[in-house]
Amino acid sequence: MPSHILSLFTLSLLLIPISSSINVWPKPRTFSWPHPHSILVSPLLTISSPKHKYLTPAVNRYSRQILTEKHHHVNPPGVNPTFTPSLKALNLTVRDIRAPLHHGVNESYTLTVPAGGAAAATAVIAAETVWGAMRGLETFSQLVWGDPIRIAAGVFVWDAPIFGHRGVLLDTSRNYYEVEDILRTIGAMSWNKMNVFHWHITDSQSFPIVLPSEPELALKGSYGEGMQYSAEDVRRVVEFGLEHGVRVLPEIDMPAHTGSWAEAYPEIVTCAHMFWWPTGYAWADRLASEPGTGQLNPLNQKTYEVIKNVIRDVAAMFPEPFYHAGADEVVSGCWKADPSIQTFLANNGTLGQLLEIFVNSTLPYIVSHNRTVVYWEDVLLDDTVNVSASVLPPENTILQTWNNGPKNTKKIVSSGYRAIVSSSDFYYLDCGHGSWLGNDSTYDQPPGTDQGNGGSWCGPFKTWQIIYNYDITYGLNEEEAKLVLGGEVALWSEQADPTVLDPLIWPRASAMAEVLWSGNRDEAGMKRYAEATDRLNEWRHRMVSRGVRAEPIQPLWCVKNPGMCNAQPI
């Protein structure tokens, strides 16, 4: 670089507000940068790595991103630039090239960026698996910024997640999302080192996935031909996930939340197309927990013929070893509306026995496809319709919790089950937007009346701080905590569609991503939410520059003046 250009560039650095650190999100477990400075990255940077079906596309993707992103921090790192020699190569090694992307796979890596001088030519990522290598590549990409391109130098990172399951649930039944929306979400998940896309595909409102053995379910139960996911769409999502280190966990909810099945098979669905909460009925006697009625009839043998086709097709389309079978919110009123079930109950049968018949007829079939079954906690913990633990073998069953915060997590793990935490008190991203019911007198109240969280059953809105400060193993002993696989934030789509997808998920999901990756406490055991604010501001800024419309968490003035918008000085 000519000396006069070098002088102008150095002067420009002095005129830009600077911070004293480099930002990596989620924060690595160990990050050492003893002498903060940077070196240039060669425009001919090469990344060498083992050839692998999914790692190779990731390497190519990061190569392009590193050389073209030219990210500009709101507050550039306050480091002294060293311009020669530049970083010319990144060498990536993987010990176990064959490890599949399953729960519990080793995602650890180390990253070394040379300090400069004669040793400046090559950075090194060493990972146990290709999936850890992808995490290391993401960290490397976040150390790079500017034009000309620079990288934090003299850096050493050792990193690995605390929890193996770090997910986002997206409901594509209430409202439809294009495949591109799903891919963009998975891509952003990989930046945040999240690794499970929980695809809540079907519900009472629509059945959008086209299954080879049961095409009528989507043909008649979706919102229309343009709002369906073909086998090729599913393949694209699954392969894209693998190229980004993200597992795609399918959920076909049943036996409740199945009103959409009645369009193709009305004979197997009870109370379909009925008003969900008839006038004069007590809440306990409602037909569904929200509009869209219908539950599969456990006494009809045709039910299991259809279900087995569904399970077989879904297992073939999704290689993920976990299979989510739903089992939430089974409402007694819907089953009681069916004549055959009325006869069963009149002969001393119980609602719990009905659910046991269903589980006993479906769980073994799912397991026969080499799948571990994930259910919502209701199957065991619901007050009205549940099964005994004897029906749910812990070795084949995982329970996902969404009610009563840490209390239900405690109930699940103390019963010997592995748990995925999605507590609505902390992790439901749709909360706080009010009720979506029409003709709702809740809103017709005199001024001064308590508005009850604006009609939102799970209000208030779950801020990033609420998410960040939640410890998912709170109240558990050491052995119980080992049964918590991790957590998921959930975007239910009654009031969400592609127009608001990005800002509803990001950067709030980023908050959970860091907590489940490296925790929410510093080395002294203190919560680090205060210093996380400035880092999350910068990370949100980078996500937006990468094409994700993440919502702001503070005014730009706060971002440009780190610490000045805190509640108290630190």
Side-chain angles (χ1 to χ4, degrees), residues 176-298:
Y176 177 80
Y177 297 82
E178 298 284 352
V179 171
E180 294 303 322
D181 298 313
I182 295 174
L183 300 186
R184 187 175 67 257
T185 300
I186 291 174
M189 289 175 63
S190 72
W191 306 338
N192 287 271
K193 298 185 174 72
M194 304 179 84
N195 64 351
V196 181
F197 177 70
H198 176 168
W199 191 353
H200 183 90
I201 307 173
T202 66
D203 215 290
S204 276
Q205 287 77 11
S206 75
F207 196 106
I209 185 171
V210 180
L211 300 177
S213 300
E214 294 291 351
E216 293 291 297
L217 286 169
L219 178 67
K220 297 180 178 179
S222 70
Y223 285 133
E225 185 177 353
M227 296 187 180
Q228 298 171 356
Y229 301 108
S230 67
E232 175 58 22
D233 292 333
V234 171
R235 190 199 66 80
R236 281 187 65 200
V237 170
V238 169
E239 289 296 299
F240 188 88
L242 290 167
E243 290 177 2
H244 288 73
V246 176
R247 299 153 49 204
V248 180
L249 167 59
E251 180 183 357
I252 306 295
D253 205 351
M254 56 175 134
H257 293 279
T258 50
S260 58
W261 299 47
E263 303 302 324
Y265 295 106
E267 69 273 23
I268 70 173
V269 180
T270 64
C271 88
H273 308 304
M274 299 175 69
F275 193 78
W276 71 290
W277 190 8
T279 302
Y281 277 49
W283 175 252
D285 297 322
R286 69 194 183 282
L287 301 183
S289 291
E290 67 174 34
T293 58
Q295 295 181 175
L296 298 177
N297 187 341

Side-chain angles (χ1 to χ4, degrees), residues 108-132:
S108 67
Y109 68 92
T110 60
L111 166 62
T112 304
V113 181
T122 304
V124 176
I125 293 174
E128 289 293 305
T129 68
V130 297
W131 321 108

Side-chain angles (χ1 to χ4, degrees), residues 369-424:
H369 286 78
N370 297 314
R371 298 297 189 268
T372 297
V373 186
V374 185
Y375 290 119
W376 292 103
E377 62 181 18
D378 312 44
V379 71
L380 184 69
L381 301 182
D382 186 82
D383 292 335
T384 305
V385 186
N386 58 57
V387 303
S388 67
S390 62
V391 177
L392 302 171
E395 63 273 17
N396 296 323
T397 308
I398 297 167
L399 297 180
Q400 186 164 3
T401 178
W402 63 284
N403 285 303
N404 299 320
K407 293 180 180 178
N408 277 13
T409 305
K410 178 81 169 180
K411 289 180 181 178
I412 289 169
V413 297
S414 63
S415 298
Y417 292 98
R418 291 164 288 173
I420 297 169
V421 177
S422 294
S423 172
S424 59

